[in-house]
Amino acid sequence: MPDWVVAVAVALAGFTWQLRLLPALLMLVAVILALTAVQRYPGERRMLVVVTLVVPVGLGLLVLVWVAPGIRLALAAGDYATATLLAVPSLLGWLLTGPVPARAARLATHWPAVAAMTLAPSSSSGWSSCARRCCPTALSRSARPAPAPSG
């Protein structure tokens, strides 16, 4: 994606997103810059370490210091969703910027998937019950038998 498209999207998001989502936007910008650098300059080891580790960690700490009063106020008001939206991107955003070491790959991919599968609501009939609730007209069209070929 061209850099100017990313810049326009970030500027538009900065003006239109809720304030409690801005830490997530800043960390997403850091992730986009880091992954772009990895694609463009795969051989520049030192620069990639700075862009994929130092910059996201530094930005995360800076954002955390910036939103700390908001986190305290949200916790005092009992608004845990806002406190989470302010704190979590700053704390975990740096994990998205670089390649996962081979030793940690299973921990970083398998166990979050297992946790998501365990915590996600399930039903005995699986996807069809979800589709039946969410889009019954689409399901009824797809459940109809195909017309017999004429000829």
Side-chain angles (χ1 to χ4, degrees):
M1 188 173 320
D3 294 341
W4 68 270
V5 173
V6 174
V8 169
V10 168
L12 182 63
F15 285 117
T16 59
W17 284 14
Q18 296 177 4
L19 288 175
R20 64 185 182 165
L21 297 175
L22 290 183
L25 177 64
L26 291 174
M27 294 312 295
L28 284 173
V29 170
V31 169
I32 290 169
L33 291 175
L35 295 177
T36 301
V38 167
Q39 287 179 344
R40 290 185 184 168
Y41 310 104
E44 300 287 333
R45 179 91 173 128
R46 179 175 282 172
M47 190 242 341
L48 291 179
V49 168
V50 169
V51 172
T52 60
L53 187 62
V54 176
V55 170
V57 169
L59 183 62
L61 291 174
L62 184 66
V63 168
L64 200 56
V65 167
W66 176 49
V67 299
I71 294 170
R72 281 194 296 274
L73 288 173
L75 290 173
D79 190 1
Y80 300 111
T82 297
T84 302
L85 286 170
L86 292 174
V88 170
S90 304
L91 297 173
L92 300 179
W94 64 274
L95 294 173
L96 300 174
T97 58
V100 177
R103 293 181 305 198
R106 184 166 178 84
L107 179 67
T109 58
H110 177 74
W111 293 112
V114 168
M117 182 183 68
T118 304
L119 296 174
S122 63
S123 66
S124 60
S125 50
W127 170 252
S128 63
S129 68
C130 176
R132 202 173 298 117
R133 283 192 310 268
C134 298
C135 45
T137 56
L139 185 64
S140 64
R141 277 184 293 212
S142 66
R144 287 187 213 144
S150 53

